[in-house]
Amino acid sequence: MTDAFCTDEAAEMRLNEYVDGELDHGAEPELFAHLAACADCRAQFDALLAFRLAARQEPLAVPASADAALFARLDDLRRAGRRAPDRRAERGPLGGALRRRVSVGAMLAVAGLAVVIGTVLAPRPAATEAPRDRVVETVLPDGMLYVIDPGVTIEAPRAERAAGR
Amino acid sequence: MPPDDPALIDAFRNGDEYAFVALYDRYKGAVYGYCAKMLLDRTAAEDLLQETFARAYEHRDRLLNTTSFKAWLFTIARNQCLNALRKRGREVPFAPHAPEPPSPGATPFGNLLKSEQADLVSRTLEMLSPSYREVVVLREYQNLSYDEIAAVTKTTVSSVKSRLFKARRQIGQILRPRLHPDPPPPAREPRPAVTASTPTS
């Protein structure tokens, strides 16, 4: 028997599709005619069927330990899920809403707009003047002197103060 | 009558754990078989079976279409297998995989035959590269259509056909000499011993 492969690759492709149940029924007569004449394709057909038979006879039972291991792991996942903090719930309502619904681009646009409006509407500062000390002359007849404005200098003649006493 | 797949999958997506267990029972054999044949190692396949379903459970919100559950599940399993194969490539295996225990009820001869066949299939698959092996396993063991294989492997149907074609040529190269061994060369007639003739006088 030959170990070579058919030189007609299209015919061998049809053979594969036939083995897989994907060949159109209309193309079957052409394939069967080719098989009747081609020993290489017949040998390949036998090999594919033998492989399939051997593969499908092999027992592949899932070990019982696999079920127990999976369910134990799912229990762990559930417990971990309960313990894990719900960060969304912990966020403030506004922050949460912003995180969920407003994109970064939109937030930047709003911030930029606020800066522009603030710049336009802000009162213009008056021309800067050099700070001048105000001098207030007064007589302190009695009691305490309270100085509230740090820019005010108070001069009280000591003689009058003394005379007043 | 057991519920059909779409009903179970819908329930699973809505958090029904019984539906998840039903789906696990329905697909665990297929996923285990796929992993076992991809890795050629049943112990590792058991771990990957667990990993696949745990991930499916965790990421069920990513399953958008109920009709593609099988392909989605195999995609998870495939990623796990490819990762394991990559990892294995960097590590030295420390123990051969355990042989499958004999099937109960079968005759010793039947068990021997199956064991030999399984061994032959495993050795054949081992000779295929992972990209050829996966299409063969998905087709021969899982009976997936070309469309489903393309969805799982994220390729086109024509690529699936091409890979199957090349993989099967390799399978043919391995199996055909065993199926049709060449007849032994005909035994030659024993030559008569050559003796020096002594001229008679």
Side-chain angles (χ1 to χ4, degrees):
Chain A
M1 183 63 71
T2 172
D3 287 344
F5 290 99
C6 181
T7 51
D8 184 354
E9 290 196 353
E12 198 177 330
M13 188 64 94
R14 279 195 293 275
L15 172 65
N16 277 328
E17 290 175 8
Y18 176 71
V19 167
D20 293 331
E22 303 246 0
L23 185 68
D24 286 339
H25 288 302
E28 285 179 359
E30 191 183 354
L31 171 68
F32 295 150
H34 178 81
L35 276 175
C38 179
D40 293 335
C41 279
R42 282 200 303 275
Q44 179 68 1
F45 190 27
D46 285 348
L48 296 184
L49 292 183
F51 181 82
R52 176 164 293 176
L53 184 69
R56 294 192 177 176
Q57 278 191 343
E58 186 182 359
L60 276 171
V62 181
S65 57
D67 298 354
L70 175 69
F71 294 134
R73 178 157 177 195
L74 292 184
D75 280 343
D76 288 346
L77 279 176
R78 274 184 224 112
R79 274 197 291 274
R82 268 188 223 121
R83 278 200 305 269
D86 186 353
R87 294 199 176 109
R88 271 193 183 174
E90 282 176 2
R91 284 178 198 144
L94 182 60
L98 285 175
R99 278 186 178 89
R100 280 194 293 274
R101 292 178 193 144
V102 182
S103 69
V104 174
M107 289 179 78
L108 285 174
V110 168
L113 192 62
V115 168
V116 170
I117 291 172
T119 311
V120 169
L121 296 182
R124 302 208 176 259
T128 54
E129 293 173 4
R132 240 187 261 163
D133 283 346
R134 284 189 295 144
V135 177
V136 178
E137 290 187 7
T138 186
V139 174
L140 297 172
D142 193 11
M144 302 290 288
L145 173 65
Y146 296 94
V147 179
I148 298 171
D149 190 345
V152 175
T153 304
I154 296 175
E155 293 177 359
R158 287 200 175 272
E160 288 177 20
R161 282 182 71 187
R165 278 185 191 170
Chain B
M1 188 177 164
D4 56 353
D5 265 15
L8 281 176
I9 293 157
D10 263 341
F12 164 53
R13 284 166 61 198
N14 292 326
D16 183 343
E17 305 223 341
Y18 291 106
F20 176 73
V21 174
L23 285 169
Y24 170 71
D25 280 336
R26 203 166 279 187
Y27 287 105
K28 67 180 178 182
V31 172
Y32 175 73
Y34 171 73
C35 295
K37 289 293 128 190
M38 277 301 286
L39 302 176
L40 300 171
D41 180 344
R42 287 166 193 256
T43 311
E46 198 178 324
D47 292 342
L48 289 200
L49 170 70
Q50 187 195 127
E51 192 65 38
T52 300
F53 277 95
R55 280 175 188 253
Y57 179 84
E58 278 182 286
H59 302 300
R60 58 184 174 273
D61 52 326
R62 293 187 195 166
L63 175 61
L64 302 175
N65 184 359
T66 52
T67 56
S68 63
F69 178 74
K70 192 175 177 185
W72 181 66
L73 196 62
F74 273 106
T75 304
I76 299 174
R78 173 182 184 255
N79 290 338
Q80 299 299 317
C81 286
L82 294 181
N83 284 343
L85 286 171
R86 259 182 238 124
K87 196 174 167 192
R88 187 187 282 178
R90 296 194 296 265
E91 290 173 357
V92 180
F94 56 90
H97 64 272
E100 175 72 8
S103 318
T107 61
F109 180 72
N111 278 331
L112 180 67
L113 202 62
K114 279 184 184 172
S115 162
E116 282 178 0
Q117 285 178 341
D119 191 44
L120 177 63
V121 168
S122 289
R123 274 187 283 132
T124 307
L125 287 175
E126 205 168 6
M127 289 181 201
L128 300 179
S129 68
S131 71
Y132 288 172
R133 195 188 303 162
E134 73 176 352
V135 288
V136 170
V137 170
L138 289 170
R139 179 61 225 153
E140 297 294 341
Y141 287 86
Q142 310 308 331
N143 211 17
L144 262 57
S145 67
Y146 289 168
D147 285 326
E148 287 171 320
I149 298 172
V152 170
T153 57
K154 295 184 172 62
T155 51
T156 58
V157 169
S158 60
S159 165
V160 169
K161 281 187 191 180
S162 166
R163 281 201 280 163
L164 262 177
F165 180 87
K166 290 172 185 166
R168 283 176 165 158
R169 279 208 160 179
Q170 287 191 20
I171 291 172
Q173 275 175 345
I174 297 162
L175 293 188
R176 279 161 65 173
R178 292 166 185 272
L179 293 173
H180 304 287
D182 290 331
R188 291 179 180 173
E189 290 292 322
R191 284 185 183 173
V194 179
T195 52
S197 56
T198 51
T200 53
S201 55

